[in-house]
Amino acid sequence: MKTALVTGITGQDGSYLSEYLLSLGYRVVGMLRRTSTQPTARIDHLRDKVDLAHADLLDQFSMVRLLEEYEPDEVYNLAAQSFVPTSFYEPVLTAEFTALGVTRLLEAIRHTRPQARFYQASSSEMFGKVVESPQTEATPFHPRSPYGVAKVYGHWITVNYRESYDLYACSGILFNHESPRRGLEFVTRKITDGVARIAFGLDDKLPMGNLDARRDWGYAGDYVRAMHMMLQQEHPEDYVVATGETHSVREFCQHAFHRVGLDYEDFVTIDPRFYRPAEVDLLLGKPDKARQELGWKPEVDFPSLVEMMVDADVQRYLKAGRSPVRGEIPEVVLSQS
Ligand code: NDP
Ligand code: GDR
């Protein structure tokens, strides 16, 4: 039985990756930081199947201790300060977590468990102000936020440790991936929860930022398979993981409101507070290398992703005993509740 250490297990990707690794027969050890409240909602259904251990990206020796105790075969570094707007307000803390945290973990692996295979959660935000479209593994980086800059550091330190110390270390350059477990502050989940709240009469408006930003959105459940595949190759390499399609925030709104029989133009307002000091206007990935070398391809397309997320949020309010007051909830959603 292989052991995988997953940092960021309480996050969106951590929960899907853990489910996937458990289904493959792995022992999963999740690293979580100490908090005064329980942040484990996304993994409560896995609590008796995974080991949870306290450590923090800010604390080098807490990670050394974890590696010594659990002796993982694979380490997935998903933990980060991952919200772009927060990185403008807390740029130094973002760098500590998202950039230097990677070096701390790599140093811990180098000294304690050099045979472990390492996955770094790199991001399409590194392409930022894109110099070409679509973006591939060879596209130069031009990050547009302290978060993007920190991820570039995390990416290159992973490459550097691979080249310097012969570690099996790779970076997955993942484009945006979403799910019903996405944090409520990210644009897709903000929209799908907003749609549900409007349908149930809990809100009348949905204030948004830049509706013209375009993203290559996929489903998180598909993307965690690619993470695992990257660690099963003969040689460690970096891969772009994306759908190869791009859609605007406006299109996401259109589809999401349409799912409950509403028109987004009646509810979406523009609030300058949600604009960013520097924007990433367009992301579009070309995942050819992942398709050819890993045999990876996404299963969930854009309309299915939007529907899955709207349906899950609507169901949550139905289960809480709320009744819809606007639009038309699809029969298939009502019948499942
Ligand atoms: P989330 O924000 O949902 O999860 C982040 C995780 O990191 C949480 O478990 C959080 O713990 C943990 N964490 C944050 N700071 C620390 C710390 N100091 N010590 C220990 N743990 C910490 O992110 P996602 O699951 O969406 O993303 C996973 C990774 O992939 C991130 O690195 C993200 O930057 C990257 N990424 C994500 C993409 C996406 O579209 N989702 C695309 C490309 C890259 P807590 O619950 O306590 O806050
Ligand atoms: P992103 O995701 O910054 O791409 O980073 P987010 O969903 O926050 O924004 C996507 C785009 O939507 C625009 N937007 C809004 N965004 C938010 N959050 N709220 C709004 O009201 C709103 N209105 C418009 C944004 O300006 C932006 O252009 C995500 C994170 O998961 C990162 O950790 C990850 O690395 C990248 O995806 C790939």
Side-chain angles (χ1 to χ4, degrees), residues 7-16 31-35 37-40 42 55-59 63 77-83 93 96-98 101 104 119-125 147 151 172-178 181-183 185-186 216-218 220 223 227 241:
T7 77
I9 192 166
T10 55
Q12 170 189 258
D13 289 8
S15 67
Y16 284 104
M31 175 183 124
L32 77 169
R33 54 179 168 170
R34 195 267 161 187
T35 45
T37 51
Q38 283 294 340
T40 52
R42 293 186 180 101
D56 199 296
L57 287 175
L58 296 184
D59 190 319
M63 291 185 279
N77 184 33
L78 308 184
Q81 192 302 94
S82 75
F83 191 47
L93 191 66
E96 286 286 356
F97 288 4
T98 305
R104 292 190 192 98
Y119 173 85
Q120 166 58 14
S122 284
S123 165
S124 52
E125 280 295 295
Y147 167 81
K151 281 288 178 187
I173 308 175
L174 271 53
F175 283 61
N176 299 54
H177 45 279
E178 319 294 315
R181 297 183 202 165
R182 188 56 141 152
E185 68 275 36
F186 297 93
D216 181 329
W217 278 298
Y223 284 42
M227 297 176 186
V241 178

Side-chain angles (χ1 to χ4, degrees), residues 195-214:
V195 163
R197 291 182 65 81
I198 286 169
F200 284 83
L202 298 168
D203 281 330
D204 297 321
K205 294 288 172 202
L206 180 59
M208 299 289 303
N210 178 12
L211 297 183
D212 296 317
R214 301 184 73 87

Side-chain angles (χ1 to χ4, degrees), residues 47-273:
R47 282 301 282 278
D48 56 347
K49 300 190 183 82
V50 298
D51 291 306
L52 295 178
H54 283 285
D56 199 296
L57 287 175
L58 296 184
D59 190 319
Q60 174 91 61
F61 280 98
S62 68
M63 291 185 279
V64 168
R65 188 180 43 73
L66 230 58
L67 291 164
E68 280 177 348
E69 185 175 344
Y70 292 99
E71 301 181 332
D73 302 289
E74 296 172 9
V75 177
Y76 295 87
N77 184 33
L78 308 184
Q81 192 302 94
S82 75
F83 191 47
V84 170
T86 298
S87 79
F88 286 102
Y89 296 111
E90 297 176 359
V92 177
L93 191 66
T94 299
E96 286 286 356
F97 288 4
T98 305
L100 283 178
V102 187
T103 310
R104 292 190 192 98
L105 184 49
L106 282 166
E107 273 291 282
I109 290 173
R110 179 163 86 90
H111 290 288
T112 316
R113 191 78 185 153
Q115 68 273 47
R117 295 187 166 204
F118 177 77
Y119 173 85
Q120 166 58 14
S122 284
S123 165
S124 52
E125 280 295 295
M126 302 189 303
F127 298 124
K129 191 173 180 192
V130 297
V131 300
E132 62 179 12
S133 263
Q135 295 87 50
T136 72
E137 293 80 5
T139 302
F141 300 140
H142 185 148
R144 293 274 277 173
S145 63
Y147 167 81
V149 174
K151 281 288 178 187
V152 171
Y153 175 94
H155 182 84
W156 283 117
I157 201 70
T158 302
V159 174
N160 180 255
Y161 270 56
R162 175 169 77 215
E163 293 174 354
S164 305
Y165 307 117
D166 206 22
L167 297 183
Y168 189 111
C170 11
S171 273
I173 308 175
L174 271 53
F175 283 61
N176 299 54
H177 45 279
E178 319 294 315
S179 74
R181 297 183 202 165
R182 188 56 141 152
L184 283 164
E185 68 275 36
F186 297 93
V187 76
T188 55
R189 186 75 198 292
K190 176 175 169 181
I191 296 167
T192 61
D193 182 59
V195 163
R197 291 182 65 81
I198 286 169
F200 284 83
L202 298 168
D203 281 330
D204 297 321
K205 294 288 172 202
L206 180 59
M208 299 289 303
N210 178 12
L211 297 183
D212 296 317
R214 301 184 73 87
R215 289 291 183 276
D216 181 329
W217 278 298
Y219 170 54
D222 285 339
Y223 284 42
V224 298
R225 285 190 285 110
M227 297 176 186
H228 176 256
M229 285 168 166
M230 281 179 221
L231 297 199
Q232 315 310 314
Q233 304 306 303
E234 208 172 317
H235 303 290
E237 289 195 31
D238 307 324
Y239 295 87
V240 157
V241 178
T243 68
E245 265 185 43
T246 187
H247 298 273
S248 65
V249 173
R250 187 185 307 278
E251 279 172 75
F252 198 105
C253 289
Q254 271 164 350
H255 279 268
F257 278 90
H258 182 73
R259 179 67 177 165
V260 297
L262 297 173
D263 183 345
Y264 85 99
E265 289 187 282
D266 295 334
F267 302 99
V268 170
T269 57
I270 299 302
D271 184 334
R273 280 184 307 141

